[in-house]
Amino acid sequence: MPSRTSATKKFRSIDYRWLVNRLSSMGPHEIIHRIKEAALRSNGRKKRGWSEFELPEMPLPIIPFDSCKLDDLGKILEHDWSEIFEHSTKAEWTWLGSTWPGKPEQNIWINDPITEKDWPNETYCFDVPFRHVKDLGDVKYVWEVNRLQFLPPIAALSRIKGNDDAKKYCLTTIESWIDSNPPFKGINWASGIELALRSISILLSISLIGADEVPPKLAEKICKALHAHAYWIDRFPSKYSSANNHLIAEAAALYILGTTMPALPKASHYREKGLKILADESVKQFFEDGVGGEQSPTYTAFSAEFYLLSLFVAKSVGDTVPPSTLDRLGKVAQHLRWITDSAGNQPHIGDDDEGRVICSSPHLEKHYVSSILSGLSAATNQPECNPPQRTPHLRDLFFGPIPGTNQEDPIGLNVFDSGGYSVFRNRFGDQNALLVFDHGPLGYLSIAAHGHADALAIWLHIDGSPIIIDAGTYLYHSGGNVRDYFRGTSAHNTLTLNDEDQSTISGAFNWSHKANAGQVTSPAGGNGQSVVAQHSGYQTRFGLIHRREVKWESSKKFTISDLLVGTPTSPNINAKIRFFLAPSISISKTSENNYELLLDGKQIVKMKIKLGTKQPKITVERKDISKQFGEKSSTNVLCIEYQDLDMECVTQFEFI
């Protein structure tokens, strides 16, 4: 058996390729900050054990709620909560496309369900290079259990049914986590967002069970644990260490902990710091038109959920939230409503790791964005933004929804120029069409961690059914080359040159070259239903700019025109345009360059590829997609391939 020293050296090993890639995306100020941050992390080794977080006797923190509203929700959701309880007692969770092996005797706090290997829990947390340890699995799996998000639904069940077994399970599980994860050892202290989500889960669980139901010794343990979480989270938020949704999560947890635990030594600091960061980030991480900076509707909703819970806590104590924050959240609601189809679905754009702040179902939450949209609609007093469909959820206890739904879909063209999306909405007969066109930035800030190389891609939904889709996400840290594929241009509904990506991937969350995309002047004679955009991602390598026009010809017809502008650097350049079809859609050729798309055997779209002087090669291929995190399948992809770059391809879509 290796000594503790050798084990520590093993886990301190550095992936220098990742380090170079990460440094290449930083400016000089960020590099200086990282050096200081490394010193701060090193000093953190001095804090050891729960004894350093002893507190004077204090009441357990709670988040208040309406018990009558909980009873009403319980009548709808009791079955889901009971199912979570049953699976949890057997350690048989299904998350991220995988099912845990159901071995409660294992140390679930460090065990990977895929490899069934244990992550280190004696090593200082920042000595565990979780991004690069390949043999232990993807760290997201072990972190998923440690978020403790299965507990609040069980706590709600214990409250509405007076179920002592459910209450005991919640309290025993919280105590098990505390006893198994002393500060600041092991993988479960290494990420601020994980601490934030876990502390919120504990707070919600105690609130739903009732503080009076917690034995005094365990109450003391819980207060110490939350104290340690607040102390450690306070070290994470900064301009560079947690600049995206992580920063919002950490700020929300700091604010909520500081507000609900006023006897903490630095409670006022946590409260003020958290609220200030939330206010500042609301106008940074959401564009002025409401588009999320991460370029992903699900990450937009995830960030917004932290805001909604913080707003609920602020209202309960009378804290004032800046009008700029509420205004920006209102814009977020408006944008999300525009990209929500008549069945409450949104196009899958960019990364989606199925992150949630509050969970309520044992199954994948399909209407997550619409659930958050309903909360935003209530919080910003915009009933017109309510989604047409949504699923009741435990989070409804704390924020929303406004009663009823808004069945009136928006109609027309809305260009979200700051965020970089044009959204076309049309009605033909009794059906509705939603088309989204991407001409925005790659992602948020220098790292663009959750963006995909999808400039000028399109997504199409008809009457609540996805037709032309995104390939998905699949995996993060352990995805390797497959992670690269799902982020790459060839997995999106746009054009590639020599099958290379517009933006160059340099790690699971990094890019070494970014395509610049933007809207350009619409053609003369445009009818207001046409958008022209282009990107420069191929200009340096191939001498060419990809320009695309999306034009709505009538309520039943639109065209996509692709053009390459510039002088090719080589005669040996291949251009390929792809359209990923939803698995429910079949495609058949009706005549030369004409195709039909069918849903359940019924023709819904006719496609006609209008050609210039050059004849492309048109094929239907099978390509990988990921309908949910950790799962892969395949679908049909229509491919239009040109060997000669003197091309202009017009693809016409006509609804039936």
Side-chain angles (χ1 to χ4, degrees):
M1 179 180 293
S3 68
R4 178 170 297 186
T5 301
S6 63
T8 300
K9 287 181 179 178
K10 172 188 175 183
F11 287 113
R12 286 190 194 176
S13 62
I14 298 173
D15 186 324
Y16 288 100
R17 185 178 63 176
W18 174 87
L19 184 60
V20 169
N21 289 335
R22 187 65 187 92
L23 287 170
S24 68
S25 67
M26 299 180 190
H29 295 294
E30 184 174 356
I31 292 173
I32 292 170
H33 170 84
R34 289 293 185 183
I35 294 171
K36 294 178 179 178
E37 184 185 60
L40 187 66
R41 288 184 171 190
S42 180
N43 289 337
R45 299 174 192 278
K46 299 174 184 177
K47 282 281 184 183
R48 296 296 171 102
W50 293 117
S51 61
E52 298 202 35
F53 297 96
E54 295 284 355
L55 291 164
E57 186 175 345
M58 66 168 66
L60 274 170
I62 62 165
I63 297 176
F65 62 90
D66 183 338
S67 58
C68 293
K69 192 173 182 180
L70 177 64
D71 289 339
D72 291 340
L73 281 171
K75 294 172 184 176
I76 304 170
L77 300 172
E78 179 187 338
H79 177 77
D80 282 349
W81 299 346
S82 297
E83 190 174 345
I84 291 174
F85 181 32
E86 179 182 355
H87 288 311
S88 296
T89 56
K90 301 174 183 177
E92 291 178 342
W93 301 284
T94 300
W95 293 313
L96 305 176
S98 296
T99 298
W100 268 243
K103 297 179 179 178
E105 69 279 1
Q106 289 181 322
N107 187 342
I108 59 172
W109 309 124
I110 58 173
N111 186 256
D112 182 275
I114 310 300
T115 66
E116 296 197 29
K117 294 181 179 180
D118 289 343
W119 284 81
N121 65 342
E122 292 294 329
T123 306
Y124 178 55
C125 62
F126 294 129
D127 285 343
V128 184
F130 57 84
R131 296 180 181 90
H132 317 298
V133 180
K134 305 298 183 184
D135 60 327
L136 296 182
D138 194 315
V139 70
K140 282 188 66 62
Y141 290 106
V142 71
W143 276 348
E144 195 72 15
V145 177
N146 284 273
R147 291 179 175 187
L148 301 182
Q149 291 181 322
F150 55 96
L151 292 182
I154 301 173
L157 179 70
S158 77
R159 183 67 166 258
I160 65 167
K161 302 300 290 183
N163 188 324
D164 286 340
D165 289 339
K167 177 183 71 176
K168 182 179 179 181
Y169 176 81
C170 286
L171 298 178
T172 301
T173 301
I174 292 172
E175 186 167 26
S176 168
W177 191 94
I178 295 170
D179 291 343
S180 302
N181 293 275
F184 295 104
K185 296 180 179 179
I187 194 65
N188 295 320
W189 291 96
S191 172
I193 190 173
E194 301 303 323
L195 274 74
L197 288 165
R198 181 164 56 248
S199 58
I200 288 172
S201 294
I202 293 173
L203 272 171
L204 291 174
S205 299
I206 297 305
S207 301
L208 288 162
I209 289 171
D212 294 342
E213 299 294 320
V214 182
K217 287 188 177 180
L218 178 55
E220 182 182 339
K221 275 188 173 183
I222 291 171
C223 286
K224 283 194 291 187
L226 293 175
H227 181 195
H229 277 66
Y231 168 84
W232 209 233
I233 292 170
D234 186 39
R235 300 166 68 89
F236 281 91
S238 68
K239 184 177 179 182
Y240 302 111
S241 63
S242 307
N244 56 0
N245 62 84
H246 290 231
L247 178 54
I248 290 173
E250 293 152 8
L254 273 185
Y255 171 70
I256 293 169
L257 287 169
T259 303
T260 58
M261 302 183 73
L264 285 180
K266 298 176 67 176
S268 60
H269 163 75
Y270 299 148
R271 185 174 182 174
E272 292 167 10
K273 179 177 180 177
L275 194 57
K276 183 180 186 306
I277 292 173
L278 288 171
D280 291 346
E281 293 303 309
S282 67
V283 295
K284 293 179 182 178
Q285 297 204 37
F286 306 112
F287 287 101
E288 60 186 1
D289 55 16
V291 175
E294 301 266 31
Q295 300 293 304
S296 161
T298 52
Y299 269 100
T300 298
F302 185 49
S303 294
E305 189 175 4
F306 284 108
Y307 276 94
L308 289 171
L309 186 59
S310 299
L311 288 174
F312 181 84
V313 173
K315 185 176 181 180
S316 72
V317 296
D319 276 353
T320 300
V321 176
S324 58
T325 298
L326 291 173
D327 178 71
R328 192 56 56 94
L329 292 175
K331 296 294 186 183
V332 172
Q334 293 167 24
H335 167 66
L336 290 178
R337 183 62 186 92
W338 262 87
I339 65 169
T340 299
D341 70 18
S342 55
N345 306 308
Q346 298 76 25
H348 288 234
I349 302 172
D351 272 350
D352 177 10
D353 68 348
E354 300 162 21
R356 311 289 185 258
V357 180
I358 303 174
C359 294
S360 184
S361 170
H363 310 292
L364 177 65
E365 188 180 352
K366 295 182 178 179
H367 283 152
Y368 173 60
V369 177
S370 285
S371 177
I372 301 305
L373 176 55
S374 70
L376 287 168
S377 177
T380 60
N381 195 28
Q382 296 183 105
E384 68 276 10
C385 291
N386 234 7
Q389 292 189 38
R390 57 178 301 282
T391 304
H393 195 280
L394 178 58
R395 68 173 65 92
D396 297 345
L397 181 63
F398 303 100
F399 39 87
I402 292 178
T405 57
N406 178 21
Q407 299 294 339
E408 290 297 321
D409 286 328
I411 296 296
L413 167 63
N414 197 339
V415 179
F416 297 87
D417 197 44
S418 299
Y421 292 93
S422 291
V423 184
F424 298 81
R425 306 292 301 249
N426 260 303
R427 183 177 294 117
F428 56 101
D430 60 351
Q431 298 189 85
N432 293 279
L434 163 66
L435 174 68
V436 178
F437 179 31
D438 179 0
H439 43 80
L442 176 63
Y444 187 59
L445 298 181
S446 62
I447 191 172
H450 295 297
H452 287 191
D454 56 2
L456 309 193
I458 64 108
W459 296 260
L460 175 67
H461 290 204
I462 297 177
D463 209 28
S465 294
I467 307 298
I468 298 176
I469 64 169
D470 191 276
T473 299
Y474 186 51
L475 289 172
Y476 280 175
H477 301 288
S478 63
N481 292 335
V482 183
R483 164 71 169 157
D484 293 348
Y485 160 75
F486 279 103
R487 300 173 80 202
T489 306
S490 65
H492 296 88
N493 305 304
T494 185
L495 175 145
T496 59
L497 294 181
N498 285 359
D499 270 346
E500 292 190 21
D501 298 323
Q502 309 155 344
S503 298
T504 306
I505 295 169
S506 61
F509 297 97
N510 290 304
W511 306 84
S512 61
H513 159 74
K514 303 181 183 70
N516 292 317
Q519 187 182 2
V520 298
T521 305
S522 295
N527 61 1
Q529 293 287 295
S530 172
V531 176
V532 180
Q534 65 185 31
H535 76 80
S536 62
Y538 293 127
Q539 190 170 21
T540 301
R541 285 170 285 172
F542 299 108
L544 297 167
I545 288 174
H546 177 206
R547 182 173 295 168
R548 171 171 276 188
E549 177 187 19
V550 177
K551 185 175 183 179
W552 210 280
E553 306 279 358
S554 70
S555 65
K556 296 184 65 174
K557 186 187 300 183
F558 72 91
T559 58
I560 297 175
S561 302
D562 290 290
L563 181 67
L564 290 169
V565 180
T567 302
T569 57
S570 164
N572 301 314
I573 302 175
N574 167 280
K576 184 179 283 189
I577 300 163
R578 294 176 174 87
F579 296 106
F580 279 71
L581 305 178
S584 57
I585 302 299
S586 58
I587 182 171
S588 65
K589 186 174 182 179
T590 56
S591 61
E592 191 67 24
N593 303 325
N594 288 274
Y595 295 82
E596 63 177 1
L597 305 182
L598 300 97
L599 176 62
D600 297 327
K602 179 182 178 182
Q603 186 186 48
I604 55 170
V605 176
K606 291 193 294 186
M607 293 181 65
K608 182 176 183 179
I609 301 165
K610 299 180 179 181
L611 307 174
T613 58
K614 307 298 181 183
Q615 173 67 41
K617 177 183 177 183
I618 305 173
T619 57
V620 177
E621 301 176 355
R622 296 292 291 183
K623 298 276 285 183
D624 283 343
I625 62 169
S626 178
K627 292 188 288 185
Q628 68 180 88
F629 196 92
E631 286 190 357
K632 271 196 309 181
S633 57
S634 63
T635 198
N636 287 324
V637 181
L638 181 70
C639 301
I640 307 167
E641 184 174 358
Y642 285 85
Q643 297 293 340
D644 190 319
L645 296 182
D646 182 17
M647 57 152 277
E648 180 176 5
C649 179
V650 179
T651 309
Q652 176 181 293
F653 297 77
E654 182 177 355
F655 307 131
I656 307 303

